[in-house]
Structure formats: C-alpha cells, structure tokens
Amino acid sequence: MEAVIEDKGRIERRGIEKMRCLRVWLAGCLLGVACMAYGAQAGQTAAQKPVKPKPRMVRPNDAGAPAPTRADMLRGAYGPYRANNDLLYYHLDIRVDPAKKFIGGKNTIRFRMLKDGDRIQLDLTDKLNVDKILFGATPLKYERDGSAVFVDFPNELRAGQTYSIDFYYSGNPPEVGRFGGITFKKDVSGHDWINTACEGDGASVWWPNKDQWRDEVNSMDISVAVPNGLMDVSNGRLTSKKDLGDGYTQWNWHVSYGINNYDVALNIGNYVHFGDTMGPLTLDYYVLSEDLAKAKVQFAQVNTMMDAYQHYFGEYPFIRDGYKLIEVPYSGMEHQSAVAYGNLFKNGYLGRDWTGVGISPRFDFIIIHESGHEWFGNSITAADPADMWIHEGWTTYLEGLYVEYRWGKDDAIKYLNGLKPKIYNLRPIVAETGVNADPTEDQYFKGALMLNTLRSVVNDDAKWFALIHGVYQHFKYQNITTDDMVAYFNTHTGMNLTPIFNQYLRHTDIPRLELLFGESPNLVMYKWAADEEDFAMPVRVGTPGHWQMIHPTTKWQWMTSPLSKDQFQVDTDHYYIDVNKQ
C-alpha cells in the first residue's frame, strides 16, 4: 500500500491530475478486487484495507543451535569418568516434604568398572546439596563443577569388578524448564500435588545419577516417603507401602527393566486408583478423585492404543512392570510404565485439533503419543540427545499408524500431511553429539514424514510393516544411534537408503523434484535437487489412480508423457518433497 500512495504523491507533485485519474480507472478495470485490497482508490475504507498475515513465530530451538556451554559439555560428553563404568542398579530412597518444598535422601548406585580407575562422574544440580558419598562406611572425596560431581576413590577400582556407593543429598530443588523439573503444587481441592518431568533439563535437577542417555541401569528400586494421606506413584510395580510412624508413609516401587534416567518419575498426590487388564498386562490408572468419572470414560482408549501398537510392533515392552496412566498438572510425558497424562480428559491436544484436518479430535493425543514412547524412546532409546528423532519422529509416525489401524490408510495419510505446516526446515534434525544438544522440533514432524516417505520408497506395504516390526524387535531394550537405524534399513531392504536418511536428517532442506516441460511435445525432463550427491529416490508422478514410478537422480533424465504441465502431478501426499515445475 505504501508504494501505491508514494506513486500517487509523485504524480500529484508533477501536476498531472488527468493521468492520476486515468491510472486509477485502469487499475480498477484491470485489477478489480486487487485494486480494493491495495487501496488504489482514494476513497478506500478501513474495511477494504489488506489484512496482513500474522508472522510465523519460529520456535527458539528451530532458529539455530546455540554454542554449547561448559555445563552442556560436562553433561553431554561421554568422557573417561563416564566411559570407565557400566551402570547396573539404582535404589533411589528419598523423603519429600511438601510444606518445605524439600527433598532429601540417597541414591545407591551399583556399577561395574570397565577399566581400572579411581574416579567416576555423576551429576546433581548445584542447587542441591551433596551431603555425603559413602563407599561402604568410607566417606569419599568429590569435586563439583556445576552439576557434574567427580567422585574419587581411595584405591583404584578394578576392571570387571562391581562396586556400590551411597550418594546422600538434600535441598529445595528449583523449578526449571517447560514442565518444571520437579514442582510443588496444590490440586483444586487443596491437596499437595508434586510431580516431575525433566527430559530436556536432566534427571539431575532433582536426584543424583549418571545423567546421560547411553548407559542405563538394568533395574531400579524407588522408595518415596510422603506425608500420610498422600500417595506416590512411580515407575515399575508397587511392591509395598510402609507406615513409618512419624506421619510419613513410604511407597516402594520396583522397575524390572532397564530405564533411562529422565523417565524416573515422582507423582505425589491425593490419587484414587482404578484399573483393567489385557491378558497378562495390567492397566493401572491414578487420577484425582474429582476426575474419576471422566477418566473412566477417556482412559478406555488405552485398550485400542495397546491393540494398535502391539499389532505393528509386538508385545508391550514392560509387561512385568505393567502400564500406568497418571494424572499430572502438565500436558504429558512418556515416563516408562508410568505415563504422565494432563490432556484435560479431552480428545485432540488440550481440546484442539492437533493437525488441523479433522482427525485428531477422534482420539486423545496424549494417550496415543506418550504411550507410543513405550516402544520408541523407552524400550528403544537414543544413545545421545542428538539422535532424539528416534524417539520423537518414530512416535509421531506411530500416531499415523494408530489412525490407520482405526480408520484406514487414507485418513492416516491425511493426518500425517497435516503435520507439514509445523515444519520449519531451518536446521538439520540430527544435532551435534556429545554436547547435550537440544534438537530442532522438526524431529517430530519431519521425522514422521520421512518415515512415511520411506514407506513409499519401499513401495510394498507387506514388506514395510515387516520391516518396522523388525526394527523394533531388533533394537528393543537397546540404546542406539541414527547410524544403527540406517544400517538396519539398508540391510533389510537391500537398498542404499543412506542418502535419503542423510538428506532428511542431516541437511536443512528437503529434496526438490525439478521438472522441465516444453523442450519438445510430450517431453518432461526431471532430476532431484538435493544436498546428497548420490540422492536417488524413486517417486510417483502422473495423476492419482494412474501413477507412474520414476527414478530421478541428481542428473537430468527425461520421459514422455501425454500430460500437460498443469496436468502432470507428483504424489506429494506420500512423499515429503518440494516440486518445481517449469
């Protein structure tokens, strides 16, 4: 609009009034509605002014990866004092005082030395106190560097031997991150409500541990003492509760599988319990009493979710520990065998249509997404946060599989394509390793659409479903990298899919199919524009119902087609690509 006004002023200064009127009249004839939108007529009203689109807000971690801090490096690097030992077992034994917002106790840490050494690295936020660290009855010396705690032993520990220490700590943990790390709140009835959620911030914000992803304990016990009248719901199977005789009750949970540290959870509140079973699998639900009726209706979706994911990937991974869904005051988290739920007992995501295409209001997003992490994220875990798409891209793709299981492939494809507006393509999905990187949120949506694209590359649904079932069965209960995943796909498809994975995961841009028409009648030239020099992904072109598979590379090829440029289509519903037709 400014340019039009500026032009009118210039004409008026020249004193050519007739020319001004003629221009306005011609603009009205030629541009019609466009003239009104841009205010070419002097008598334009406020209602006719163009509505500027709202600028798209870029999520902070999509804009660019910040340089790692010293704290990131200390936490992210798998240095010599992490690599010299293998975790075996934790027993987290703590007391929580809601009135004082205080936590204290100890973590017994059992580990096997992989190399001779007299130092190991653990982690605890510097906002909490290290009270003492005991090796048997012997106090150990330690050094703190931010949240890193370097523990020194009086004598060298021998490779192959198993050792145990007791790490005592206490203090008032601060709230950090999106969900608070650990929060001390009240429910609507005034009861204390204390919950943890610390994936990005690290478990060391509220308890001492080896705070990285590569090494997990094989099993764990969790003992939490809380004031009488409150309940703690943590991971694993409830083994006992004990009245301590001092106004506190201790709740004891046993985790019989490996567990990553950020999955360890406290959920302390005035909970009521109900449950169900699916064969040998127990389904336990913990909600506030005022939400019991709503929960009994909404949580019925768990059974269908279990049916769907077990259909595609196999048995629920933590059957000995059971499945729990626990009400929390934030949207949700995938805590192993203790999934946190805060979706307001509504379908969609907090009552909203998550992908904007009318499908997500059919189901509860948090139940479906966070429970999917039991397979991808908790059973299969990335060895480094840099590869977190293995958690989030896969689990977002599982949402589409759930839709397909319930309502068919067409709705699944529609649902997944609804994710496209959420993608920014500003930096690669796979981040820098060893620095506690925070990957772009594109890992969710672009990761899922990459997997949907690979399904079309395989181009055989029976093989595809066998392939993804095999991926899970091969890697379950393991900590893996992107390279591990790519190698499996290459081996079991007999295809070199590395350039495709690299293009979507390790570069910013998605592949662009270049199409050139008109060099001669019925001739179409085509090639991929991609960062990977040997990118050669097959793709379907033509018209829906009459697709033709072509095999572009990064070099020009050509084909004949009776379709005009406008008629010629590319199957962008099943391939996440850009198309440039010229």
Side-chain angles (χ1 to χ4, degrees), residues 386-398:
D387 290 323
M388 194 163 61
W389 77 271
I390 294 169
H391 302 195
E392 302 298 354
W394 269 101
T395 302
T396 303
Y397 182 65
L398 263 60

Side-chain angles (χ1 to χ4, degrees), residues 554-565:
T554 54
K555 307 297 182 183
W556 283 111
Q557 300 178 63
W558 54 88
M559 61 182 290
T560 58
S561 172
L563 301 173
S564 69
K565 174 183 172 182

Side-chain angles (χ1 to χ4, degrees), residues 217-237:
V217 290
N218 301 329
S219 63
M220 181 174 183
D221 284 297
I222 305 169
S223 299
V224 184
V226 297
N228 293 343
L230 296 176
M231 175 188 299
D232 171 64
V233 186
S234 287
N235 315 81
R237 185 75 65 181

Side-chain angles (χ1 to χ4, degrees), residues 159-170:
Q161 297 297 307
T162 297
Y163 301 91
S164 181
I165 62 173
D166 294 315
F167 191 130
Y168 289 81
Y169 77 110
S170 62

Side-chain angles (χ1 to χ4, degrees), residues 34 63 68 76 103 147 209 215 217 222 230 232 241 256 338 392 405 412-413 429 466 469 484 522 526 562 572-573:
I103 187 170
S147 294
N209 63 93
D215 190 11
V217 290
I222 305 169
L230 296 176
D232 171 64
K241 66 174 183 177
S256 62
E392 302 298 354
Y405 183 82
I413 297 302
I429 288 176
H469 182 274
D484 295 327
N522 300 329
Y526 58 88
T572 52
D573 282 343

Side-chain angles (χ1 to χ4, degrees), residues 271-483:
Y271 286 115
V272 293
H273 166 261
F274 68 102
D276 195 1
T277 58
M278 292 182 68
L281 176 61
T282 56
L283 308 174
D284 289 289
Y285 307 123
Y286 296 86
V287 298
L288 303 181
S289 58
E290 56 266 30
D291 294 324
L292 180 60
K294 291 183 290 185
K296 286 184 174 181
V297 174
Q298 195 72 2
F299 289 3
Q301 296 186 38
V302 168
N303 297 67
T304 309
M305 173 275 296
M306 283 289 177
D307 286 338
Y309 294 157
Q310 291 186 133
H311 169 77
Y312 290 113
F313 299 105
E315 184 179 78
Y316 172 72
F318 308 108
I319 195 163
R320 292 194 304 271
D321 290 353
Y323 171 88
K324 294 188 292 296
L325 198 57
I326 307 159
E327 185 178 358
V328 297
Y330 56 90
S331 58
M333 257 301 289
E334 63 262 29
H335 299 141
Q336 183 174 307
S337 72
V339 175
Y341 175 88
N343 203 38
L344 308 178
F345 305 97
K346 296 180 179 181
N347 283 355
Y349 179 45
L350 299 175
R352 302 192 303 269
D353 184 347
W354 177 234
T355 59
V357 295
I359 294 174
S360 62
R362 301 177 191 173
F363 62 91
D364 190 307
F365 173 81
I366 290 297
I367 292 176
I368 304 310
H369 179 88
E370 303 302 349
S371 300
H373 278 303
E374 295 282 57
W375 283 263
F376 288 89
N378 300 345
S379 178
I380 297 177
T381 306
D384 188 283
D387 290 323
M388 194 163 61
W389 77 271
I390 294 169
H391 302 195
E392 302 298 354
W394 269 101
T395 302
T396 303
Y397 182 65
L398 263 60
E399 297 167 25
L401 291 178
Y402 175 80
V403 172
E404 183 161 348
Y405 183 82
R406 293 289 311 277
W407 299 288
K409 184 176 180 180
D410 289 348
D411 277 356
I413 297 302
K414 183 179 179 182
Y415 178 86
L416 289 169
N417 280 304
L419 299 170
K420 289 178 179 177
K422 300 179 185 293
I423 301 172
Y424 290 86
N425 289 321
L426 294 176
R427 63 185 178 102
I429 288 176
V430 173
E432 182 181 356
T433 61
V435 294
N436 189 39
D438 182 16
T440 167
E441 287 185 32
D442 281 358
Q443 65 180 310
Y444 292 77
F445 319 118
K446 189 175 179 179
L449 287 165
M450 177 193 72
L451 291 168
N452 189 52
T453 299
L454 287 169
R455 177 177 179 175
S456 295
V457 171
V458 171
N459 198 30
D460 183 323
D461 277 354
K463 290 182 179 178
W464 174 252
F465 290 124
L467 178 66
I468 63 174
H469 182 274
V471 165
Y472 173 72
Q473 292 296 326
H474 181 76
F475 290 120
K476 65 182 179 181
Y477 310 127
Q478 295 183 47
N479 301 74
I480 68 170
T481 67
T482 294
D483 289 341

